Amino acid sequence: MGRSYSQSFRFYFSGWNFPLRWIWGLWLLPIITFSQPVTFNRERIEVSVINNLSWVKGTYHFVNHGPLDIRHSIYYPFSSANHQSKPLSISVNDLNNQTAIPFTELSGSALFSLLIPGNTEKIFQVVYCQAVPDSTFEYILTTTAAWHKPLEHAEYVVTLHNGYRLKSITLPYDYQSVREDSISYFITRENFMPDTNLEIKWEGNLP
C-alpha cells in the first residue's frame, strides 16, 4: 500500500462554530477545501416498501484521482421526516473487497471511513430499514450540492408491495414495471444535481 493521508471533518473552521444538527445533516461531504482529489460520481438507490417498512439499498461510487491513498470520513444521515423511525437495521459494505465496514451510529447518522487507494474507484453500499407509519418516505439527496459537481449518473428504483399505490413522488419516473405482487418505478438521471429530496407517498391497504 502506498502513502496515504486522511480527510477528516473538523467541527471548527477558522473560528466558525457549526452546530451538530447541521453537521449530521451533511451527506458524503467533501472534507478538504484546498484540494479535492476525491469525487462522488455515481449512485444507485433502491427503495422497497413492504408492510409499513422501507428498505433502502444505496450503492455509491467515489473516484480518487490522485496518486496517494486517502482515508475519507463519511457522515451518512437518515431522514426522520414524516415520523420515519430510527433505522431498525444498518449494514455498510466495501464492494471492492466484499468486506463489512465498521460504523458508529451517532445523532441519527452512521459514521464510518473509507480507504480509497490512489487512482482507484471505490464502491460501497449502505443498506438500512426504517418504519414508515405515515405512508411517506424521504431519502436525502440535496446535500450532493456540497460537492459542487453533479452526479455523472444516478439511478433510483422505488418498489411498492402488497397492493400499495403510488400517490406522489418528487422525481418524475421514466417508466414502471408491474408484477403480480409489486410495482416498480425507475428514474435515471445524467449530470444530475438534485434540488429536492426523494420523497415518496403511497396509499392502499394490505390485502
Side-chain angles (χ1 to χ4, degrees), residues 52 82-85 131-136:
N52 291 321
N82 310 298
H83 299 106
Q84 289 171 218
S85 73
V132 281
D134 286 353
S135 298
T136 302

Side-chain angles (χ1 to χ4, degrees), residues 113-134:
S113 66
L114 296 175
L115 180 62
I116 311 175
N119 301 307
T120 297
E121 179 181 58
K122 172 67 71 173
I123 306 172
F124 72 96
Q125 191 172 82
V126 179
V127 179
Y128 65 94
C129 175
Q130 287 180 292
V132 281
D134 286 353

Side-chain angles (χ1 to χ4, degrees), residues 87-99:
L88 305 175
S89 65
I90 307 169
S91 66
V92 184
N93 292 283
D94 181 333
L95 298 189
N96 295 71
N97 302 321
Q98 297 298 314
T99 56

